[in-house]
Amino acid sequence: MENRSKGEPKRCFDVYGFVMNGFFKNEEASIGLEFHRKMIERGSKPDIVYCNKVLKRICCGYSCIEVANKLLLLLLDVGPRPNVVTFTTLINGYCKEQRLEEAFKLYVLMIGRGIEPDLIVYSILIDGLFKVGKFEEGHQLLSTALGKGVKLDVVIFSSIIDACVRDGDVERGVLVFKKMLKEGICPTLVTYGILVNGMCQIGRLLEAFGVL
C-alpha cells in the first residue's frame, strides 16, 4: 500500500495473493478481477512480482489462460505495469496450447508497450513454431532475435536442429549448427548427437564424422 508501516508490505501482499488465488481457484474470476481493480482505486497497488505469481498460478495451476489474459488486460488498464515476466507467463501458456496466434499478439503487444522480449520469450516462441511445423517462421524469428542482439543458448539451438532433423531437412540443421558456432555458442554432446544421427539416417556418414 502507498501509506504503510515498515512491517506491513509483506503481510498485505501475502493477503493479496491469498485472496486472488482463492477467487480463481473457486472459479470466481470476475470477483477476483474486481477485487484487484478496487485495490488500485483505493490506493493499494501490489508489486507486479505478486501479480505475476497469481498469473502463473492461473495458467499452470488452474489452466485458465483466458482468465489470465483478462488479468493482463486489467494490469495494462489500472496497473501495476506488466513486465517481461508477465508477458512471458501468458505467451508460454498459449504456446503450450499451440495457440500461437494469441501468443504472437502478446509478443507484438509487449514490444508496443516498450517491453523488449528476452531469451526466454524468443525460446518459447521459436520452439512453439517448430513444434507445429512452422519451420520457416521459426527460422525468421531466430534471425530476428539474433538481429536484436539476443544471445540464444545452446538449448534452443539444439531444439531447432532437432526439429530440422525430424522434418527431414538435415541440410538446414547443418546451417543452424554453423550459425550457432558463428554466434560463439559451444555445442553439447546432445547437439552433436542430434546432428550426427540425422546425417547417418540419410547416409552421410563421412560428413557425420566431420562434424565431430
Side-chain angles (χ1 to χ4, degrees):
M1 298 175 70
E2 297 299 327
N3 298 313
R4 54 182 179 253
S5 63
K6 290 183 179 180
E8 191 174 353
K10 188 177 188 300
R11 177 180 61 81
C12 174
F13 292 134
D14 283 346
V15 171
Y16 168 81
F18 177 79
V19 173
M20 289 289 281
N21 284 323
F23 286 133
F24 295 123
K25 182 178 180 180
N26 294 319
E27 299 183 357
E28 296 175 330
S30 59
I31 300 177
L33 296 173
E34 186 61 22
F35 172 79
H36 179 92
R37 183 182 293 276
K38 290 297 183 183
M39 276 194 66
I40 301 299
E41 289 176 354
R42 292 173 181 175
S44 300
K45 183 178 288 188
D47 193 285
I48 189 60
V49 171
Y50 296 92
C51 297
N52 288 341
K53 289 182 178 179
V54 173
L55 271 172
K56 186 175 182 179
R57 178 66 65 85
I58 297 171
C59 290
C60 302
Y62 310 136
S63 301
C64 298
I65 189 69
E66 303 298 346
V67 173
N69 193 61
K70 288 180 180 179
L71 180 53
L72 170 64
L73 295 177
L74 183 59
L75 294 175
L76 291 169
D77 183 27
V78 302
R81 183 176 184 267
N83 59 19
V84 66
V85 176
T86 317
F87 281 95
T88 301
T89 301
L90 270 81
I91 288 173
N92 187 49
Y94 277 124
C95 284
K96 283 185 175 179
E97 296 184 5
Q98 296 189 347
R99 298 170 61 180
L100 294 182
E101 184 176 348
E102 288 91 339
F104 273 93
K105 284 180 181 178
L106 291 178
Y107 167 74
V108 172
L109 177 60
M110 70 184 295
I111 294 175
R113 292 278 178 158
I115 303 171
E116 281 299 315
D118 60 6
L119 164 66
I120 299 174
V121 172
Y122 279 111
S123 297
I124 292 170
L125 289 172
I126 291 171
D127 185 60
L129 288 168
F130 277 102
K131 281 183 176 177
V132 297
K134 295 188 175 183
F135 298 101
E136 195 60 42
E137 293 92 333
H139 285 290
Q140 289 175 358
L141 189 59
L142 171 64
S143 297
T144 297
L146 294 175
K148 289 187 175 184
V150 177
K151 295 296 182 182
L152 300 179
D153 60 16
V154 67
V155 175
I156 188 60
F157 272 104
S158 296
S159 178
I160 295 171
I161 294 169
D162 183 54
C164 293
V165 170
R166 285 187 285 107
D167 191 51
D169 194 350
V170 177
E171 192 61 43
R172 173 162 274 182
V174 173
L175 292 176
V176 174
F177 178 77
K178 291 180 178 179
K179 183 178 290 186
M180 180 180 72
L181 296 178
K182 185 178 179 182
E183 291 294 320
I185 299 172
C186 296
T188 63
L189 290 175
V190 173
T191 315
Y192 283 119
I194 292 169
L195 199 56
V196 169
N197 182 57
M199 289 181 168
C200 289
Q201 286 180 5
I202 59 175
R204 294 166 61 176
L205 300 178
L206 291 177
E207 288 183 67
F209 283 114
V211 169
L212 298 173

